[in-house]
Amino acid sequence: MQIDGAGRQQRGHVLLIAGDAAVRRRAVQVAPSANLAALGVLPTSALLNSQIPTDTTYLDGARDPNTVLMRLRTAAATPGPLLVYLSGRLTLDRRGHRLHLALAGTTASTVRYTALPWDWLGTELGARSAGPTTVVLDLVADKAAWPVLQEYGCLPAPPTAEVYGVVVPPAFAGGVDRVSSYTHHWIDQLRRSPTRPTNLQLHAFAVGAAALPPGTLVLPATRELSAPAAQEQQAPQVQAQDPRPHIHALAAGGRHHEAATLAQAWEQHVLQTHGYTSPEATHWAEIRADLARMAGNYRSATQLWINAGRTRLEHQPPDAPEVLAAAAGALYCWTQLKDQAEARDAGPELVRLLRALPSLEPRLLRLTQQRLEVLEGSRA
């Protein structure tokens, strides 16, 4: 039994809050209920990174901000570690110019009465001193809130808490009603890692792996996660923090050359440290492939993904998720090649990679072969 300084038995608390879904043009941008359901199947020990007894509170579909406040206050009073996860739509009270987490039923005219004021989170968690506090956010800002976030350059957060997450801008089209990419990769890494990564490692992996829309606000601010700016163009140091969130933020902001230069520097460091055939080196090749995709350089991205897939096949089974992901990346980028000569040159290598994956959907290989045949025929 673990006892805190006041003689109380330590207990942890996991508070999962689903706000209102963010929808644009009838497409769901973030589905908070789906995110909570996915997190709910994980053991609390994995979520909290602690083996102590833990209470879990789910708030899905809440309409009264005072109800959420009471749950937040109860969670903040726990004598042990606390994890607060929030997902949903960030909006603005235009009259008071305050950020709010929209709850179920919140509209533009009812924000002041039906949404959770964002500063309540800071007030309740800021007064907490009983144990470590972690806040994880997977949010979409609407058109009213986004200009304010751009003005701030960040999302106000409790200074005593570790805060990780993303706030996606309002302009992207969205997808289907399912677990959002950032939360999905956070969960996936928790499931797959033999030892529980740190929250910073989970966040860095999720940001690097998720296909975040351009302009996404990454928390903590990228300057807090990256090496000092003066060292960015130099060979990276081994005490340096994980650079992936910063690299992704550079690319998402349109600074593709800087992102590629920094990624290449880190790749060289990894090659020298771990070797050319190491999983770490392959991962950085995949990062460069995705950076090329973000920059619209589909020729380079296709080749890098093909190389990564072949390297992984030398060390992993053909149905490994990483192998299939590399093949999927290569196939997608190849389909985006508009130059027929470039597509024709890369096609045979891609077909050989896809043929080596027996679990791949046969239709994908068939369509690839058909397009390559058309390209070969056009040569004449």
Side-chain angles (χ1 to χ4, degrees), residues 120 247 252 256 303 307:
W120 285 8
I247 291 172
H256 300 293
Q303 191 61 56
N307 293 344

Side-chain angles (χ1 to χ4, degrees), residues 73-234:
R73 188 166 291 169
T74 299
T78 189
L82 169 64
L83 170 70
V84 179
Y85 172 89
L86 300 102
S87 181
R89 174 170 61 92
L90 202 63
T91 190
L92 187 74
D93 164 23
R94 301 189 184 188
R95 181 176 175 182
H97 211 63
R98 298 168 68 194
L99 291 170
H100 288 66
L101 177 69
L103 302 179
T106 297
T107 65
S109 61
T110 65
V111 171
R112 297 176 62 201
Y113 313 104
T114 63
L116 180 74
W118 192 254
D119 53 18
W120 285 8
L121 183 72
T123 299
E124 297 303 322
L125 298 183
R128 175 179 151 78
S129 59
T133 306
T134 304
V135 179
V136 180
L137 310 171
D138 195 338
L139 304 169
V140 173
D142 65 16
K143 290 183 178 180
W146 187 246
V148 175
L149 289 179
Q150 290 183 305
E151 178 184 337
Y152 290 164
C154 64
L155 180 62
T160 57
E162 291 185 21
V163 182
Y164 305 100
V166 293
V167 184
V168 174
F172 84 106
V176 297
D177 189 0
R178 63 184 179 188
V179 180
S180 57
S181 184
Y182 175 79
T183 295
H184 166 76
H185 285 291
W186 183 288
I187 293 171
D188 186 57
Q189 188 70 358
L190 274 178
R191 285 174 171 165
R192 291 168 45 189
S193 299
T195 57
R196 206 276 192 185
T198 66
N199 290 327
L200 178 59
Q201 290 170 333
L202 287 171
H203 170 68
F205 176 86
V207 169
L212 297 173
T216 295
L217 179 64
V218 178
L219 305 167
T222 54
R223 63 178 176 273
E224 299 172 33
L225 288 174
S226 61
Q231 299 178 358
E232 286 185 359
Q233 303 303 328
Q234 302 173 4

